[in-house]
Amino acid sequence: MKPKEAYALYILNNLNSNEIVELANEWLLNGLFTDSLTDLIFEKEPEMYIVGPMFEALMEELNIPSLTRLEAAHIAIKRILTRIVNKEIEPRVGASSIYYDVWSEIEEEYPAIKYLGDSLGLEFIFCWLREIWDCRDGSMILYYSDLPRDQAEQKFEEHLIEEAKNWLTKAK
């Protein structure tokens, strides 16, 4: 994970102290070096009140500017949707992560206007995610109800991937 992506997760409360230290070690092994990074890797029992300020200092040393929660959400969404499109994670898993780890963190600040997630352009992704969830738990599905559930779910995943591509195209 790139430092800016990690910073976005940190701002959204989705990066814990142990993960910060693990990332610091990974970055050091990949040739990144700063004073704060060195301090971070020596934290054997990290607590967020210690590691958090060190991580923020690291971001400053890397010239990564402060992010708003909205900017952090967009970075996190872009990372996850890119991983879906590149087939690094299952569409359902990635979209669920966006729903629970990103959307739920900023929903109060950027509430839906008409459809769930529409304030971030996620309404179609969440539409297909809900269809996948409904398909899996036996609830009524609105689309492809003439197909067996496993085939319908496959169609929903295809639509979700297409919407991920659309979102990424618009985000450029």
Side-chain angles (χ1 to χ4, degrees), residues 6 22 24 31 153:
E22 289 170 16
E153 184 175 343

Side-chain angles (χ1 to χ4, degrees), residues 2-16:
K2 296 177 184 174
K4 190 171 184 177
E5 294 169 337
Y7 190 36
L9 295 180
Y10 172 80
I11 289 169
L12 296 171
N13 302 311
N14 285 307
L15 195 64
N16 67 45

Side-chain angles (χ1 to χ4, degrees), residues 46-59:
E47 295 292 332
M48 190 56 88
Y49 74 92
I50 296 169
V51 172
M54 294 165 83
F55 184 72
E56 291 171 15
L58 171 60
M59 294 299 111

Side-chain angles (χ1 to χ4, degrees), residues 11-73:
I11 289 169
L12 296 171
N13 302 311
N14 285 307
L15 195 64
N16 67 45
S17 57
N18 288 319
E19 291 168 325
I20 289 172
V21 172
E22 289 170 16
L23 282 170
N25 279 295
E26 180 184 315
W27 294 334
L28 187 65
L29 290 173
N30 288 322
L32 189 63
F33 181 80
T34 73
D35 291 337
S36 295
L37 186 63
T38 304
D39 293 341
L40 274 170
I41 65 168
F42 289 113
E43 288 298 320
K44 298 301 176 205
E45 294 183 27
E47 295 292 332
M48 190 56 88
Y49 74 92
I50 296 169
V51 172
M54 294 165 83
F55 184 72
E56 291 171 15
L58 171 60
M59 294 299 111
E60 276 187 41
E61 290 172 6
L62 296 175
N63 295 317
I64 296 174
S66 292
L67 300 172
T68 66
R69 289 176 52 78
L70 182 61
E71 290 168 330

Side-chain angles (χ1 to χ4, degrees):
M1 179 182 323
K2 296 177 184 174
K4 190 171 184 177
E5 294 169 337
Y7 190 36
L9 295 180
Y10 172 80
I11 289 169
L12 296 171
N13 302 311
N14 285 307
L15 195 64
N16 67 45
S17 57
N18 288 319
E19 291 168 325
I20 289 172
V21 172
E22 289 170 16
L23 282 170
N25 279 295
E26 180 184 315
W27 294 334
L28 187 65
L29 290 173
N30 288 322
L32 189 63
F33 181 80
T34 73
D35 291 337
S36 295
L37 186 63
T38 304
D39 293 341
L40 274 170
I41 65 168
F42 289 113
E43 288 298 320
K44 298 301 176 205
E45 294 183 27
E47 295 292 332
M48 190 56 88
Y49 74 92
I50 296 169
V51 172
M54 294 165 83
F55 184 72
E56 291 171 15
L58 171 60
M59 294 299 111
E60 276 187 41
E61 290 172 6
L62 296 175
N63 295 317
I64 296 174
S66 292
L67 300 172
T68 66
R69 289 176 52 78
L70 182 61
E71 290 168 330
H74 277 270
I75 290 167
I77 292 165
K78 182 177 181 181
R79 178 179 183 270
I80 295 166
L81 293 180
T82 299
R83 293 184 71 211
I84 290 171
V85 169
N86 292 338
K87 298 180 179 175
E88 296 171 17
I89 55 174
E90 294 178 37
R92 175 186 51 83
V93 172
S96 294
S97 177
I98 291 171
Y99 182 82
Y100 290 114
D101 299 333
V102 180
W103 171 252
S104 66
E105 281 295 321
I106 66 163
E107 180 180 11
E108 286 185 25
E109 297 161 83
Y110 301 96
I113 299 162
K114 186 172 182 181
Y115 300 106
L116 184 68
D118 62 1
S119 59
L120 297 176
L122 298 169
E123 62 272 23
F124 296 113
I125 288 169
F126 287 167
C127 168
W128 298 119
L129 176 62
R130 291 200 106 141
E131 284 292 278
I132 291 169
W133 286 344
D134 289 345
C135 201
R136 287 183 161 236
D137 72 11
S139 298
M140 182 183 79
I141 55 176
L142 302 176
Y143 303 94
Y144 302 112
S145 56
D146 58 325
L147 295 177
R149 291 217 173 229
D150 61 329
Q151 290 177 17
E153 184 175 343
Q154 184 177 5
K155 290 283 191 187
F156 301 146
E157 286 192 359
E158 290 169 9
H159 288 299
L160 201 153
I161 292 167
E162 191 61 38
E163 289 304 328
K165 290 175 184 175
N166 290 341
W167 192 96
L168 290 167
T169 300
K170 292 176 188 172
K172 286 185 179 180

